[in-house]
Coordinates of all heavy atoms in Angstrom, one line a residue:
M1 N 5.7 -40.7 16.3 CA 6.8 -41.3 17.0 C 8.2 -41.0 16.4 O 8.4 -41.2 15.2 CB 6.6 -42.8 16.9 CG 7.4 -43.7 17.9 SD 7.0 -45.4 17.7 CE 7.8 -45.8 16.1
P2 N 9.0 -40.3 17.2 CA 10.3 -40.0 16.6 C 11.2 -41.2 16.3 O 11.1 -42.2 17.0 CB 11.0 -39.2 17.7 CG 10.1 -39.0 18.8 CD 8.9 -40.0 18.6
M3 N 12.1 -41.1 15.4 CA 13.0 -42.2 15.0 C 14.0 -42.4 16.1 O 14.4 -41.5 16.6 CB 13.7 -41.9 13.7 CG 12.9 -41.6 12.5 SD 11.8 -43.1 12.1 CE 13.2 -44.3 11.8
P4 N 14.2 -43.7 16.4 CA 15.3 -43.9 17.3 C 16.6 -43.4 16.8 O 16.8 -43.4 15.6 CB 15.3 -45.5 17.5 CG 14.5 -46.0 16.4 CD 13.6 -44.9 15.8
P5 N 17.6 -43.2 17.7 CA 18.8 -42.6 17.3 C 19.9 -43.6 16.7 O 21.0 -43.2 16.5 CB 19.3 -41.9 18.6 CG 18.7 -42.7 19.7 CD 17.4 -43.2 19.2
Y6 N 19.5 -44.8 16.5 CA 20.5 -45.7 15.9 C 20.0 -46.2 14.6 O 18.7 -46.1 14.3 CB 20.6 -46.9 16.9 CG 19.2 -47.5 17.4 CD1 18.6 -48.4 16.6 CD2 18.7 -47.1 18.6 CE1 17.4 -49.0 17.0 CE2 17.4 -47.6 19.0 CZ 16.8 -48.6 18.2 OH 15.6 -49.0 18.6
P7 N 20.8 -46.7 13.8 CA 20.4 -47.2 12.5 C 19.4 -48.3 12.5 O 19.6 -49.2 13.4 CB 21.6 -47.6 11.8 CG 22.8 -47.2 12.6 CD 22.2 -47.0 14.0
I8 N 18.4 -48.4 11.6 CA 17.4 -49.4 11.7 C 17.7 -50.4 10.5 O 18.1 -49.9 9.4 CB 16.0 -48.8 11.5 CG1 15.8 -47.8 12.6 CG2 15.0 -49.9 11.5 CD1 14.6 -47.0 12.3
S9 N 17.6 -51.6 10.7 CA 17.8 -52.6 9.6 C 16.6 -52.8 8.8 O 15.5 -52.6 9.2 CB 18.2 -53.9 10.2 OG 19.5 -53.7 10.9
C10 N 16.9 -53.1 7.5 CA 15.7 -53.4 6.6 C 14.9 -54.6 7.2 O 15.5 -55.5 7.8 CB 16.4 -53.9 5.3 SG 15.4 -54.5 4.0
Y11 N 13.7 -54.5 6.9 CA 12.7 -55.5 7.5 C 12.9 -56.9 6.8 O 12.4 -57.9 7.4 CB 11.3 -55.1 7.3 CG 10.7 -54.2 8.4 CD1 11.5 -53.5 9.2 CD2 9.3 -54.2 8.7 CE1 11.0 -52.7 10.2 CE2 8.7 -53.4 9.6 CZ 9.7 -52.6 10.4 OH 9.1 -51.8 11.4
T12 N 13.5 -57.0 5.6 CA 13.6 -58.2 5.0 C 14.6 -59.1 5.8 O 15.7 -58.8 6.1 CB 14.2 -58.0 3.6 OG1 13.4 -57.1 2.8 CG2 14.3 -59.4 2.8
R13 N 14.1 -60.3 6.1 CA 14.9 -61.3 6.9 C 16.2 -61.6 6.1 O 16.1 -61.9 5.0 CB 14.1 -62.5 7.2 CG 14.6 -63.2 8.4 CD 13.6 -64.3 8.8 NE 12.2 -63.7 9.1 CZ 11.2 -64.5 9.4 NH1 11.3 -65.8 9.3 NH2 10.0 -64.0 9.8
G14 N 17.3 -61.5 6.8 CA 18.6 -61.8 6.2 C 19.1 -60.8 5.3 O 20.2 -61.0 4.8
C15 N 18.5 -59.7 5.1 CA 19.0 -58.6 4.3 C 20.2 -57.9 5.0 O 21.3 -57.8 4.5 CB 17.9 -57.7 3.9 SG 18.6 -56.2 3.0
G16 N 19.9 -57.3 6.1 CA 21.0 -56.7 6.9 C 21.4 -55.3 6.5 O 22.1 -54.7 7.2
N17 N 20.9 -54.8 5.4 CA 21.2 -53.4 5.0 C 20.4 -52.4 5.9 O 19.4 -52.7 6.5 CB 20.8 -53.1 3.5 CG 21.6 -53.9 2.5 OD1 22.8 -54.0 2.7 ND2 20.9 -54.2 1.4
P18 N 21.0 -51.2 6.1 CA 20.3 -50.3 6.9 C 19.1 -49.8 6.0 O 19.1 -49.7 4.8 CB 21.3 -49.1 7.0 CG 22.4 -49.3 6.1 CD 22.3 -50.8 5.6
A19 N 17.9 -49.6 6.8 CA 16.7 -49.1 6.1 C 16.8 -47.7 5.8 O 17.3 -46.9 6.6 CB 15.5 -49.3 7.1
V20 N 16.5 -47.3 4.6 CA 16.6 -45.9 4.1 C 15.1 -45.4 3.7 O 15.0 -44.3 3.4 CB 17.5 -45.7 3.0 CG1 19.0 -45.7 3.6 CG2 17.4 -46.7 1.9
Y21 N 14.2 -46.4 3.5 CA 12.8 -46.0 3.1 C 11.9 -46.6 4.1 O 12.1 -47.5 4.7 CB 12.5 -46.5 1.7 CG 13.4 -46.0 0.7 CD1 14.3 -46.8 -0.1 CD2 13.4 -44.7 0.3 CE1 15.2 -46.3 -1.0 CE2 14.2 -44.2 -0.7 CZ 15.1 -45.0 -1.3 OH 15.9 -44.5 -2.3
K22 N 10.7 -45.9 4.1 CA 9.6 -46.3 4.9 C 8.4 -46.4 4.0 O 8.1 -45.5 3.3 CB 9.4 -45.3 6.1 CG 8.2 -45.3 6.9 CD 8.4 -44.5 8.0 CE 7.1 -44.2 8.8 NZ 7.4 -43.8 10.1
I23 N 7.7 -47.5 4.1 CA 6.4 -47.7 3.4 C 5.3 -47.5 4.5 O 5.3 -48.2 5.4 CB 6.2 -49.1 2.9 CG1 7.5 -49.6 2.2 CG2 5.0 -49.2 2.0 CD1 7.9 -48.9 0.9
A24 N 4.5 -46.4 4.2 CA 3.5 -46.1 5.2 C 2.3 -45.5 4.6 O 2.4 -45.0 3.5 CB 4.1 -45.1 6.2
A25 N 1.2 -45.7 5.3 CA -0.1 -45.1 4.7 C -0.7 -44.3 5.8 O -0.7 -44.5 6.9 CB -1.0 -46.3 4.4
R26 N -1.4 -43.3 5.3 CA -2.2 -42.4 6.3 C -3.5 -43.0 6.7 O -4.2 -43.4 5.7 CB -2.4 -41.0 5.7 CG -1.2 -40.2 5.8 CD -1.4 -38.8 5.3 NE -0.2 -38.2 4.9 CZ 0.8 -37.8 5.7 NH1 0.7 -38.0 7.0 NH2 1.9 -37.3 5.2
W27 N -3.7 -43.2 7.9 CA -5.0 -43.7 8.4 C -5.7 -42.7 9.2 O -5.1 -41.9 9.9 CB -4.6 -45.0 9.3 CG -5.9 -45.4 10.0 CD1 -6.8 -46.4 9.5 CD2 -6.3 -45.1 11.3 NE1 -7.7 -46.6 10.5 CE2 -7.5 -45.8 11.6 CE3 -5.8 -44.1 12.2 CZ2 -8.2 -45.6 12.7 CZ3 -6.6 -44.0 13.4 CH2 -7.7 -44.7 13.6
S28 N -7.0 -42.7 9.1 CA -7.8 -41.8 9.9 C -9.2 -42.3 10.2 O -9.7 -43.1 9.4 CB -8.0 -40.5 9.1 OG -9.0 -39.7 9.7
D29 N -9.7 -42.1 11.3 CA -11.0 -42.4 11.7 C -12.0 -41.2 11.7 O -13.1 -41.3 12.3 CB -11.1 -43.2 13.0 CG -10.7 -42.4 14.2 OD1 -10.3 -41.1 14.0 OD2 -10.6 -42.8 15.3
G30 N -11.5 -40.1 11.1 CA -12.3 -38.9 11.1 C -12.0 -38.0 12.3 O -12.3 -36.8 12.3
V31 N -11.3 -38.6 13.4 CA -11.0 -37.7 14.5 C -9.5 -37.7 14.7 O -8.9 -36.6 14.7 CB -11.6 -38.4 15.8 CG1 -11.3 -37.5 17.0 CG2 -13.1 -38.5 15.7
T32 N -8.9 -38.7 14.7 CA -7.4 -38.8 14.8 C -6.8 -39.3 13.5 O -7.5 -39.9 12.6 CB -6.9 -39.8 15.9 OG1 -7.5 -41.0 15.8 CG2 -7.2 -39.3 17.2
Q33 N -5.6 -39.0 13.2 CA -5.0 -39.4 12.0 C -3.5 -39.9 12.4 O -2.9 -39.3 13.3 CB -4.8 -38.2 11.1 CG -4.2 -38.5 9.8 CD -4.2 -37.2 8.9 OE1 -5.2 -36.5 8.7 NE2 -3.0 -36.9 8.5
E34 N -3.1 -40.9 11.7 CA -1.7 -41.4 12.0 C -1.1 -42.0 10.7 O -1.9 -42.3 9.8 CB -1.7 -42.4 13.2 CG -2.4 -43.7 12.9 CD -2.2 -44.6 14.1 OE1 -2.3 -44.2 15.2 OE2 -2.0 -45.8 13.8
L35 N 0.2 -42.2 10.8 CA 0.9 -42.8 9.7 C 1.1 -44.2 10.1 O 1.8 -44.5 11.1 CB 2.2 -42.0 9.4 CG 2.8 -42.2 8.1 CD1 1.9 -41.7 6.9 CD2 4.1 -41.3 8.0
K36 N 0.5 -45.1 9.3 CA 0.7 -46.6 9.7 C 1.8 -47.1 8.9 O 1.8 -47.1 7.7 CB -0.7 -47.2 9.2 CG -0.9 -48.6 9.7 CD -2.4 -49.0 9.2 CE -2.5 -50.4 9.0 NZ -2.3 -51.3 10.2
T37 N 2.8 -47.6 9.6 CA 4.0 -48.1 9.0 C 3.8 -49.6 8.6 O 3.5 -50.4 9.4 CB 5.2 -48.0 9.9 OG1 5.3 -46.6 10.3 CG2 6.5 -48.5 9.3
Y38 N 4.2 -49.8 7.3 CA 4.1 -51.2 6.8 C 5.5 -51.9 6.8 O 5.6 -53.0 7.2 CB 3.5 -51.2 5.4 CG 2.1 -51.0 5.3 CD1 1.6 -49.7 5.2 CD2 1.2 -52.1 5.4 CE1 0.2 -49.5 5.2 CE2 -0.2 -51.9 5.3 CZ -0.7 -50.6 5.2 OH -1.9 -50.4 5.2
A39 N 6.5 -51.0 6.5 CA 7.8 -51.6 6.4 C 8.9 -50.5 6.4 O 8.7 -49.4 6.0 CB 8.0 -52.5 5.3
L40 N 10.0 -50.8 6.9 CA 11.3 -50.0 6.8 C 12.2 -50.9 6.0 O 12.4 -52.0 6.2 CB 11.8 -49.7 8.1 CG 10.9 -49.0 9.1 CD1 11.6 -48.9 10.5 CD2 10.5 -47.6 8.6
C41 N 12.8 -50.4 4.9 CA 13.6 -51.2 4.1 C 14.7 -50.4 3.3 O 14.8 -49.2 3.3 CB 12.7 -51.9 3.0 SG 11.9 -50.8 1.9
C42 N 15.6 -51.2 2.8 CA 16.7 -50.6 2.0 C 16.2 -50.5 0.5 O 15.1 -51.0 0.2 CB 17.9 -51.6 2.0 SG 17.7 -53.1 1.2
S43 N 17.0 -49.9 -0.4 CA 16.6 -49.6 -1.7 C 16.4 -50.9 -2.5 O 15.5 -51.0 -3.4 CB 17.6 -48.7 -2.4 OG 18.9 -49.2 -2.3
A44 N 17.2 -51.9 -2.2 CA 17.1 -53.2 -2.9 C 15.7 -53.9 -2.6 O 15.2 -54.6 -3.5 CB 18.3 -54.1 -2.6
C45 N 15.2 -53.7 -1.5 CA 13.9 -54.4 -1.1 C 12.8 -53.5 -1.3 O 11.7 -53.9 -1.0 CB 14.1 -54.8 0.3 SG 15.5 -56.0 0.6
L46 N 13.0 -52.3 -1.7 CA 11.8 -51.4 -1.8 C 10.7 -51.8 -2.6 O 9.5 -51.7 -2.1 CB 12.4 -50.0 -2.3 CG 11.4 -48.8 -2.5 CD1 10.9 -48.4 -1.2 CD2 12.0 -47.6 -3.2
A47 N 10.9 -52.3 -3.8 CA 9.8 -52.6 -4.6 C 8.9 -53.7 -4.1 O 7.7 -53.6 -4.1 CB 10.3 -53.1 -6.0
D48 N 9.6 -54.7 -3.5 CA 8.9 -55.8 -2.8 C 7.9 -55.3 -1.7 O 6.8 -55.7 -1.6 CB 9.9 -56.7 -2.1 CG 10.1 -57.9 -3.0 OD1 9.7 -57.9 -4.1 OD2 10.8 -58.9 -2.5
W49 N 8.5 -54.5 -0.8 CA 7.7 -54.0 0.4 C 6.7 -53.0 -0.1 O 5.5 -53.0 0.5 CB 8.6 -53.3 1.4 CG 9.5 -54.3 2.2 CD1 10.8 -54.6 2.1 CD2 8.9 -55.3 3.1 NE1 11.1 -55.6 3.0 CE2 10.0 -56.0 3.7 CE3 7.6 -55.4 3.7 CZ2 9.9 -57.0 4.6 CZ3 7.5 -56.5 4.7 CH2 8.5 -57.2 5.1
F50 N 6.9 -52.3 -1.1 CA 5.9 -51.4 -1.6 C 4.7 -52.2 -2.1 O 3.6 -51.9 -1.7 CB 6.5 -50.5 -2.7 CG 5.5 -49.5 -3.3 CD1 5.0 -48.5 -2.5 CD2 5.1 -49.6 -4.6 CE1 4.0 -47.6 -3.1 CE2 4.2 -48.7 -5.1 CZ 3.7 -47.7 -4.4
R51 N 5.0 -53.2 -2.9 CA 3.8 -53.9 -3.5 C 3.2 -54.7 -2.3 O 1.9 -54.8 -2.3 CB 4.4 -55.0 -4.4 CG 4.8 -54.4 -5.7 CD 4.9 -55.3 -6.9 NE 5.5 -54.6 -8.0 CZ 6.8 -54.6 -8.3 NH1 7.6 -55.5 -7.6 NH2 7.3 -53.9 -9.3
R52 N 3.9 -55.2 -1.3 CA 3.2 -55.9 -0.2 C 2.4 -54.9 0.6 O 1.2 -55.3 1.0 CB 4.3 -56.5 0.7 CG 4.4 -58.0 0.6 CD 5.3 -58.5 1.6 NE 6.6 -58.7 1.0 CZ 7.7 -59.4 1.5 NH1 7.6 -59.7 2.8 NH2 8.8 -59.6 0.9
G53 N 2.8 -53.7 0.7 CA 2.1 -52.7 1.5 C 0.8 -52.4 0.7 O -0.3 -52.3 1.4
R54 N 0.8 -52.3 -0.6 CA -0.3 -51.9 -1.3 C -1.3 -53.1 -1.3 O -2.6 -52.9 -1.2 CB 0.0 -51.7 -2.8 CG 0.7 -50.3 -3.0 CD -0.2 -49.2 -3.3 NE 0.3 -47.9 -3.1 CZ 0.3 -47.0 -4.0 NH1 -0.1 -47.1 -5.3 NH2 0.8 -45.7 -3.8
Q55 N -0.8 -54.3 -1.3 CA -1.7 -55.5 -1.2 C -2.4 -55.6 0.2 O -3.6 -55.8 0.3 CB -0.9 -56.8 -1.4 CG -0.7 -57.1 -2.9 CD 0.4 -58.2 -3.0 OE1 0.9 -58.8 -2.1 NE2 0.9 -58.4 -4.3
K56 N -1.6 -55.3 1.2 CA -2.2 -55.3 2.5 C -3.3 -54.2 2.7 O -4.3 -54.4 3.3 CB -1.1 -55.1 3.6 CG -0.4 -56.2 4.0 CD 0.3 -55.9 5.4 CE 1.2 -57.1 5.7 NZ 2.0 -56.6 6.9
Q57 N -2.9 -53.0 2.2 CA -3.9 -52.0 2.3 C -5.2 -52.3 1.5 O -6.3 -52.0 2.0 CB -3.3 -50.7 1.7 CG -4.1 -49.4 1.8 CD -5.0 -49.1 0.6 OE1 -4.7 -49.7 -0.4 NE2 -6.0 -48.3 0.8
A58 N -5.0 -52.9 0.4 CA -6.3 -53.3 -0.5 C -7.1 -54.3 0.3 O -8.3 -54.3 0.2 CB -5.8 -53.8 -1.8
A59 N -6.4 -55.2 1.1 CA -7.1 -56.3 1.8 C -7.6 -55.8 3.1 O -8.3 -56.6 3.7 CB -6.2 -57.4 1.9
C60 N -7.3 -54.6 3.6 CA -7.6 -54.2 4.9 C -9.1 -53.8 5.0 O -9.7 -53.1 4.2 CB -6.8 -53.0 5.3 SG -7.0 -52.4 6.9
R61 N -9.8 -54.4 6.0 CA -11.2 -54.1 6.2 C -11.3 -52.9 7.2 O -10.7 -52.9 8.3 CB -11.9 -55.3 6.8 CG -12.0 -56.4 5.8 CD -12.7 -57.7 6.4 NE -14.1 -57.4 6.7 CZ -15.0 -57.8 5.9 NH1 -14.7 -58.5 4.9 NH2 -16.3 -57.6 6.2
L62 N -12.1 -51.9 6.8 CA -12.1 -50.8 7.6 C -13.6 -50.6 8.3 O -14.5 -51.0 7.7 CB -11.9 -49.5 6.7 CG -10.5 -49.4 6.1 CD1 -10.5 -48.3 5.1 CD2 -9.4 -49.2 7.2
A63 N -13.5 -50.1 9.5 CA -14.8 -49.8 10.1 C -15.4 -48.5 9.5 O -14.7 -47.7 8.8 CB -14.5 -49.5 11.6
K64 N -16.7 -48.3 9.8 CA -17.3 -47.1 9.2 C -16.7 -45.9 9.7 O -16.3 -45.7 10.8 CB -18.8 -47.2 9.7 CG -19.7 -46.5 8.8 CD -21.2 -46.6 9.2 CE -22.0 -45.8 8.2 NZ -23.0 -45.0 8.8
G65 N -16.4 -45.0 8.7 CA -15.7 -43.7 9.1 C -14.2 -43.8 9.0 O -13.5 -42.8 9.0
E66 N -13.7 -45.0 8.9 CA -12.2 -45.1 8.8 C -11.7 -44.9 7.4 O -12.4 -45.3 6.4 CB -11.8 -46.5 9.3 CG -11.6 -46.6 10.8 CD -11.0 -48.0 11.1 OE1 -11.3 -49.0 10.5 OE2 -10.2 -48.0 12.0
K67 N -10.6 -44.3 7.2 CA -10.0 -44.2 5.9 C -8.6 -44.6 5.9 O -7.8 -44.2 6.9 CB -10.0 -42.7 5.6 CG -11.1 -42.4 4.5 CD -10.9 -40.9 4.0 CE -12.2 -40.2 4.1 NZ -12.0 -38.8 3.9
L68 N -8.1 -45.4 5.0 CA -6.7 -45.8 4.8 C -6.3 -45.5 3.4 O -6.8 -46.1 2.5 CB -6.6 -47.2 5.2 CG -5.2 -47.8 5.2 CD1 -4.3 -47.1 6.2 CD2 -5.2 -49.3 5.4
E69 N -5.3 -44.6 3.2 CA -4.8 -44.3 1.9 C -3.9 -45.4 1.4 O -3.3 -46.1 2.3 CB -4.1 -42.9 2.0 CG -5.0 -41.8 2.2 CD -4.3 -40.4 2.2 OE1 -3.1 -40.4 1.9 OE2 -4.9 -39.4 2.6
P70 N -3.7 -45.5 0.1 CA -2.8 -46.5 -0.4 C -1.4 -46.1 0.2 O -1.0 -44.9 0.3 CB -2.8 -46.3 -1.9 CG -4.1 -45.7 -2.2 CD -4.5 -44.9 -1.0
P71 N -0.6 -47.1 0.6 CA 0.7 -46.7 1.1 C 1.6 -46.0 0.2 O 1.6 -46.2 -1.0 CB 1.3 -48.1 1.4 CG 0.2 -49.0 1.5 CD -0.9 -48.5 0.5
G72 N 2.4 -45.1 0.7 CA 3.4 -44.4 -0.1 C 4.8 -44.7 0.5 O 5.0 -45.4 1.4
I73 N 5.8 -44.2 -0.3 CA 7.2 -44.4 0.0 C 7.7 -43.0 0.6 O 7.5 -42.0 0.1 CB 8.0 -44.7 -1.2 CG1 7.5 -46.0 -1.8 CG2 9.5 -44.8 -0.9 CD1 8.0 -46.3 -3.2
F74 N 8.4 -43.1 1.7 CA 8.9 -42.0 2.4 C 10.4 -42.2 2.6 O 10.8 -43.4 2.8 CB 8.2 -41.8 3.8 CG 6.7 -41.5 3.7 CD1 5.8 -42.6 3.6 CD2 6.3 -40.3 3.7 CE1 4.5 -42.3 3.5 CE2 4.9 -40.0 3.6 CZ 4.0 -41.0 3.4
S75 N 11.1 -41.1 2.6 CA 12.6 -41.3 2.9 C 12.7 -41.3 4.4 O 12.0 -40.5 5.1 CB 13.4 -40.1 2.3 OG 12.9 -38.9 2.8
L76 N 13.5 -42.1 4.9 CA 13.7 -42.3 6.3 C 14.8 -41.5 6.8 O 16.0 -41.6 6.4 CB 14.0 -43.8 6.5 CG 13.8 -44.4 7.9 CD1 12.4 -44.3 8.4 CD2 14.2 -45.9 7.8
E77 N 14.5 -40.4 7.5 CA 15.5 -39.5 8.0 C 15.5 -39.6 9.5 O 14.5 -39.3 10.1 CB 15.3 -38.2 7.4 CG 15.6 -38.1 5.9 CD 15.1 -36.8 5.3 OE1 15.7 -35.8 5.8 OE2 14.3 -36.9 4.4
R78 N 16.7 -39.8 10.0 CA 16.7 -39.9 11.4 C 16.6 -38.6 12.1 O 17.0 -37.6 11.6 CB 18.1 -40.6 11.9 CG 18.1 -42.1 11.9 CD 19.3 -42.6 12.5 NE 20.4 -42.6 11.5 CZ 21.6 -42.6 11.8 NH1 22.0 -42.5 13.1 NH2 22.6 -42.6 10.9
G79 N 15.9 -38.6 13.2 CA 15.7 -37.4 13.9 C 14.5 -36.6 13.4 O 14.2 -35.5 13.9
R80 N 13.9 -37.1 12.4 CA 12.6 -36.3 11.9 C 11.4 -37.0 12.3 O 11.4 -38.3 12.5 CB 12.7 -36.4 10.3 CG 13.7 -35.4 9.8 CD 13.1 -34.6 8.8 NE 14.1 -34.0 7.9 CZ 13.8 -33.2 6.9 NH1 12.5 -33.1 6.6 NH2 14.7 -32.6 6.1
R81 N 10.3 -36.3 12.5 CA 9.1 -36.9 12.8 C 8.3 -37.2 11.6 O 8.5 -36.7 10.5 CB 8.4 -35.9 13.7 CG 8.9 -35.9 15.1 CD 7.9 -35.2 16.1 NE 8.1 -33.8 16.1 CZ 7.5 -33.0 16.9 NH1 6.7 -33.6 17.8 NH2 7.6 -31.7 16.9
D82 N 7.2 -38.0 11.8 CA 6.5 -38.5 10.6 C 5.9 -37.4 9.8 O 5.8 -37.4 8.5 CB 5.3 -39.3 11.1 CG 5.7 -40.8 11.4 OD1 6.9 -41.2 11.1 OD2 5.0 -41.6 12.0
T83 N 5.5 -36.3 10.4 CA 4.8 -35.2 9.7 C 5.9 -34.4 8.9 O 5.5 -33.6 8.0 CB 4.2 -34.3 10.7 OG1 5.1 -33.9 11.8 CG2 2.9 -34.8 11.3
E84 N 7.2 -34.6 9.1 CA 8.2 -33.8 8.4 C 8.9 -34.6 7.3 O 9.7 -34.0 6.6 CB 9.2 -33.4 9.4 CG 8.7 -32.4 10.5 CD 9.6 -32.3 11.6 OE1 10.5 -33.1 11.8 OE2 9.4 -31.4 12.4
I85 N 8.6 -35.9 7.2 CA 9.4 -36.7 6.3 C 8.9 -36.5 4.8 O 7.7 -36.2 4.6 CB 9.5 -38.2 6.7 CG1 8.1 -38.9 6.7 CG2 10.2 -38.4 7.9 CD1 8.2 -40.3 7.0
N86 N 9.7 -36.8 3.9 CA 9.4 -36.5 2.5 C 8.7 -37.7 1.8 O 9.3 -38.8 2.0 CB 10.6 -36.2 1.7 CG 11.3 -34.9 2.0 OD1 10.5 -33.9 2.3 ND2 12.6 -34.8 2.1
R87 N 7.7 -37.5 1.1 CA 7.1 -38.6 0.4 C 7.7 -38.6 -1.1 O 7.9 -37.6 -1.7 CB 5.5 -38.3 0.3 CG 4.9 -39.4 -0.4 CD 3.4 -39.5 -0.1 NE 2.8 -40.6 -0.8 CZ 1.6 -41.0 -0.6 NH1 0.8 -40.4 0.2 NH2 1.1 -42.1 -1.3
L88 N 8.0 -39.8 -1.5 CA 8.7 -39.9 -2.8 C 7.7 -40.4 -3.9 O 7.7 -41.6 -4.2 CB 9.9 -40.9 -2.6 CG 10.9 -40.5 -1.4 CD1 11.9 -41.6 -1.2 CD2 11.6 -39.2 -1.8
R89 N 7.0 -39.5 -4.4 CA 5.9 -39.9 -5.3 C 6.4 -40.4 -6.7 O 5.8 -41.2 -7.3 CB 5.0 -38.7 -5.6 CG 4.2 -38.4 -4.3 CD 3.1 -37.3 -4.6 NE 2.5 -36.9 -3.3 CZ 1.4 -37.6 -2.8 NH1 0.8 -38.6 -3.4 NH2 0.9 -37.2 -1.6
D90 N 7.6 -39.9 -7.1 CA 8.2 -40.5 -8.3 C 8.5 -41.9 -8.2 O 8.1 -42.7 -9.2 CB 9.6 -39.7 -8.5 CG 9.3 -38.4 -9.1 OD1 8.2 -37.9 -9.2 OD2 10.3 -37.6 -9.2
F91 N 9.0 -42.4 -7.1 CA 9.3 -43.8 -6.9 C 7.9 -44.6 -6.9 O 7.9 -45.7 -7.5 CB 9.9 -44.1 -5.5 CG 11.4 -44.0 -5.5 CD1 12.1 -43.7 -4.4 CD2 12.1 -44.2 -6.7 CE1 13.4 -43.7 -4.3 CE2 13.5 -44.2 -6.7 CZ 14.1 -43.9 -5.5
E92 N 6.9 -44.0 -6.3 CA 5.6 -44.7 -6.2 C 5.1 -45.0 -7.6 O 4.6 -46.0 -7.9 CB 4.6 -43.9 -5.4 CG 5.0 -43.9 -3.9 CD 4.1 -42.9 -3.2 OE1 3.0 -42.7 -3.6 OE2 4.6 -42.3 -2.1
E93 N 5.2 -43.9 -8.5 CA 4.6 -44.0 -9.8 C 5.4 -45.0 -10.6 O 4.8 -45.9 -11.3 CB 4.7 -42.7 -10.5 CG 3.5 -41.8 -10.2 CD 3.6 -40.4 -10.7 OE1 4.2 -40.3 -11.9 OE2 3.1 -39.5 -10.1
Q94 N 6.7 -45.0 -10.5 CA 7.6 -46.0 -11.2 C 7.1 -47.4 -10.8 O 7.0 -48.3 -11.6 CB 9.0 -45.8 -10.8 CG 9.8 -44.8 -11.6 CD 11.2 -44.5 -11.1 OE1 11.8 -45.5 -10.6 NE2 11.6 -43.4 -11.2
L95 N 7.1 -47.6 -9.5 CA 6.8 -49.0 -9.0 C 5.3 -49.4 -9.3 O 5.0 -50.6 -9.5 CB 7.1 -49.1 -7.6 CG 8.5 -49.0 -7.2 CD1 8.7 -48.8 -5.6 CD2 9.3 -50.1 -7.7
T96 N 4.4 -48.5 -9.3 CA 3.0 -48.8 -9.6 C 2.9 -49.2 -11.1 O 2.2 -50.1 -11.5 CB 2.1 -47.5 -9.4 OG1 2.4 -47.1 -8.0 CG2 0.7 -47.9 -9.5
R97 N 3.7 -48.5 -11.9 CA 3.6 -48.8 -13.4 C 4.3 -50.1 -13.7 O 3.8 -51.0 -14.4 CB 4.3 -47.7 -14.2 CG 3.4 -46.6 -14.6 CD 4.0 -45.8 -15.8 NE 5.4 -45.4 -15.4 CZ 5.6 -44.1 -15.0 NH1 4.7 -43.3 -14.8 NH2 6.9 -43.8 -14.7
G98 N 5.5 -50.3 -13.0 CA 6.3 -51.5 -13.3 C 5.7 -52.7 -12.6 O 6.1 -53.7 -12.8
Ligands
LIG19 ZN1 16.8 -55.0 2.3

């Protein structure tokens, strides 16, 4: 799904900052694959949404053959498609440790 051409707000209610990160996990049923979005957020809310995404992923029940990877952090770049966005593994490691 291409990004809409207007700025997206952080998912945190009342935050109001533009979203610059996307928390998403790769899901697959063995045939199709997609990036499941948990949240779009600003840098201030990143740690919260990342933890929430990991919790949701851990609690998710999967059907046989389905796979859901732990959510990662992606930089949100307008005009880019999911397959082209950058994954920010350094952030993930920092937040996983902290
Ligand atoms: Zn925010």
Side-chain angles (χ1 to χ4, degrees):
M1 198 176 69
M3 299 299 300
Y6 49 84
I8 301 165
S9 298
C10 176
Y11 272 26
T12 304
R13 205 170 296 173
C15 173
N17 290 328
V20 287
Y21 298 112
K22 169 167 167 160
I23 314 296
R26 282 188 206 286
W27 171 90
S28 168
D29 64 0
V31 182
T32 53
Q33 184 180 307
E34 63 176 42
L35 201 58
K36 191 174 153 65
T37 301
Y38 287 89
L40 304 172
C41 64
C42 70
S43 53
C45 304
L46 178 64
D48 262 11
W49 283 111
F50 180 64
R51 287 200 189 98
R52 252 183 263 186
R54 288 268 160 126
Q55 281 166 7
K56 272 199 189 173
Q57 185 265 344
C60 184
R61 294 175 69 100
L62 297 171
K64 210 172 176 224
E66 276 186 323
K67 255 190 225 165
L68 181 64
E69 289 179 12
I73 298 167
F74 298 84
S75 64
L76 200 57
E77 290 170 59
R78 275 190 281 155
R80 288 229 197 177
R81 284 197 276 188
D82 279 352
T83 47
E84 296 166 341
I85 60 177
N86 292 321
R87 184 161 180 175
L88 306 169
R89 290 185 187 275
D90 287 356
F91 271 156
E92 292 172 30
E93 273 176 35
Q94 274 174 32
L95 294 173
T96 306
R97 275 199 304 263

